Amino acid sequence: MSWFELPPVLLSLLLGFGGIGFIVLLLYAAGMVRYIPNDRVGVVEKLWSASGSVQAGLLALQGEAGFQPELRRGGFHFFTPFQYRVHIHPMVSVTQGKIGYVFARDGLDLPAGQTLASNAAVSDFLDVRSFLKLGGQKGPQRKVLREGTHVINPALFVVMTEEATYALNMDAHERSYYERMRGLLEERNAFSPVVIKEKSGSHDSDQLAVVTVQDGPALSRDELLAPDVGDAHNSFQEPERFLAAGGRRGRQERVLVEGTYYINRLFATVEFIAKTIIPVGYVGVVVSYTGARGEDVSGSEYSHGELVNAGCRGVWREPLMPGKYAFNTYAGKIELVPTTNFVLMWQSGESGSSFDSNLREITLITKDAFEPQLPLSVVVHIDYRKAPMVVQRFGNVKQLVEQTLDPMVSSYFKNVSQTHTFIQLIQSRSELQTNASRDMRERFLAYSLEFQEVLIGTPRPQPGDHKIEAIMAQLRDRQIAREQVETFAQKEIAANKQRELNEAEKRAEKQAELTASLVDISIKENHGAAAVKAAEKRRQEIEALAQGERYRQEAEGQGRAAAIRSVGEAEGSAIRARSEALEGEGADKQLMQTVMLRLAEAFETARVPLVPQIQLGGGAEGGNAFSTLLGLMTALKARELEGGAAAAQPRS
């Protein structure tokens, strides 16, 4: 200890006391009295000893000259003059939430294959003597220091924290080594614990940590990852327990999820990877690279490979359902298989899913030697229970599409096109689509797929081919002509409808007048019908009156005729009597005149009209009173002649 190591206050007091102070300074110079502050420790170095110097190791465990294993704490300490030197050193301080790393300068050498010093037998860095006697090993220690203040002998241990390196009397070579170690620790962010947060800022981290152990027995030849050894090691935070449980060096199968882990980053490094998310509409088929060889559970009918149970090496029989999984992607891979309908499009520049990016239009050769390109879409569904079979057989869905479905579908439509002309191919698309759906359904089942539907597009010409375009133009012109004919017919119908509409509108405008006229017509028809009824009634009345009048006149006429006949007969008898006395033609003429005179008198007396109002009887020539009278006179004349002839006959 030099003069400058004395506390300033004590040094000023000693100088102020003169001779006494000189004596005290002499005692300090001889090393008999030493003062150590309470926040520091003193490393005692023995300058000489009757036992000699240290023969092996760094510290003097048998009282030899050299660094002593025991530390001195705060206060005054008394030593043999000129035998000891005290190195005052700060205590080791590890910040809250940080990690300190311990390096032993002395101890047993590490065996081959061991990276870090074992702390299985001794883990107390405070008792240096016990550490060395019980088999503590030199080099970086597996045990780390947590937050707090630690009283550690810096002559034996070098302690690195984020803020400082605690060591005593390092030479240039040793200082260079520990600087490289600090750089390695900073590169691995080793002074901070492994923190896996549920959220990172405003976004979900969705991370997990893959652990790679740098110490312990190596893996066997056919192992890629170290198998899980359980929870005894407290998530790799206790290396000795990890190794005691059979843990091996290398990348571990077990991963770390959300939490804080104080892991010795010289013992194990961590790598952050994303969690595996299986979205809705998919299942994850696990292809495991590690695990024991499992029994084939695919069944005797499946001959395309083996399916194994979960945890075994190979393709797992049961897929993972939608969700988030802390899956170690170094232990295997998860192939996403869609369970909803997905579309495969044979069309350049367009894609219906992530599996058809390399598909192109199918080049056909028609029966009439055209070479169109056919775009089409196929809707496919995969049963989630058959997803492992698809992955085991084809590797993934994309390889299934490109290596199997693309050649199969292309071959089918090329064969169909050879039996159709180009125009037939266009016009019978619906029929082709129906037949293709029926034929390809069975073919897809052979690959554990469910065919849903095929949608055939319009055949297109290849670049530079104008013949197909000419055919298409002709078809378009033909269709336009048909449409024009149909348009003209529809226009005619529309014109007729427009005329009917106009008539209906005009009729609606004149509806009031039309209604009034119809009412007038109905009224007049009713009046006419009433007049007809009245006329009919009057006619019936007139007929009845005429019939009665006729009967009356007939009765009167018959009575008068009977009277006239009686009068005529009487007059005839008188005339015949007188005519017998008359002779020659003068008598006949006189007779006629007399008859006519008597008839006239009879008519006048009876007041009977010469022409009756109602004509009775009559032949084809018709009859009147005069003819009747003539007839009567003729009858009388005939009867008179008959009477005259009878009178002329001689009497017997």
Side-chain angles (χ1 to χ4, degrees), residues 603-623:
F603 276 104
E604 183 180 0
T605 303
R607 297 181 180 178
V608 176
L610 182 62
V611 181
Q613 295 179 356
I614 298 174
Q615 183 177 344
L616 302 176
E621 298 178 355

Side-chain angles (χ1 to χ4, degrees), residues 326-442:
F327 183 78
N328 189 343
T329 54
Y330 291 100
K333 67 176 180 178
I334 295 179
E335 291 290 346
L336 294 180
V337 177
T339 56
T340 57
N341 293 349
F342 62 94
V343 180
L344 302 176
M345 300 182 66
W346 277 261
Q347 190 167 353
S348 302
E350 295 188 16
S351 178
S353 63
S354 59
F355 311 117
D356 59 357
S357 57
N358 295 329
L359 299 183
R360 298 294 181 268
E361 293 87 346
I362 301 174
T363 301
L364 308 177
I365 300 178
T366 63
K367 186 177 181 180
D368 49 358
F370 285 98
E371 297 182 2
Q373 291 182 335
L374 180 66
L376 60 90
S377 301
V378 177
V379 183
V380 186
H381 175 257
I382 299 177
D383 188 345
Y384 80 96
R385 292 165 294 189
K386 297 181 180 179
M389 297 182 181
V390 174
V391 173
Q392 203 285 330
R393 185 173 179 181
F394 301 100
N396 53 53
V397 179
K398 190 174 182 64
Q399 293 181 3
L400 163 66
V401 172
E402 295 179 354
Q403 299 177 8
T404 302
L405 298 186
D406 184 21
M408 182 185 69
V409 174
S410 299
S411 175
Y412 175 83
F413 282 99
K414 286 182 178 180
N415 294 338
V416 170
S417 66
Q418 292 178 353
T419 62
H420 294 74
T421 64
F422 178 72
I423 295 179
Q424 290 175 346
L425 196 65
I426 295 176
Q427 295 178 343
S428 62
R429 187 181 69 172
S430 177
E431 180 182 356
L432 293 176
Q433 187 168 291
T434 302
N435 295 336
S437 298
R438 182 185 63 253
D439 296 339
M440 287 196 291
R441 182 166 285 106
E442 296 181 359

Side-chain angles (χ1 to χ4, degrees), residues 485-563:
V485 172
E486 181 65 21
T487 300
F488 296 152
Q490 294 297 327
K491 285 184 176 180
E492 182 180 359
I493 295 174
N496 293 334
K497 292 295 183 181
Q498 183 67 35
R499 185 181 66 254
E500 293 176 1
L501 177 61
N502 294 336
E503 292 177 356
E505 290 178 350
K506 294 300 182 180
R507 188 180 297 110
E509 293 176 358
K510 300 297 183 178
Q511 187 63 42
E513 298 178 6
L514 180 61
T515 302
S517 62
L518 291 176
V519 172
D520 291 341
I521 291 172
S522 298
I523 292 173
K524 291 179 179 179
E525 288 180 351
N526 292 336
H527 288 170
V532 170
K533 291 292 184 181
E536 182 68 20
K537 195 70 175 177
R538 287 195 298 271
R539 183 185 66 79
Q540 293 176 357
E541 291 177 358
I542 291 172
E543 288 181 353
L545 292 175
Q547 188 71 18
E549 184 65 21
R550 187 185 68 179
Y551 291 155
R552 184 183 65 80
Q553 291 181 2
E554 287 179 353
E556 289 179 353
Q558 290 176 359
R560 290 190 183 99

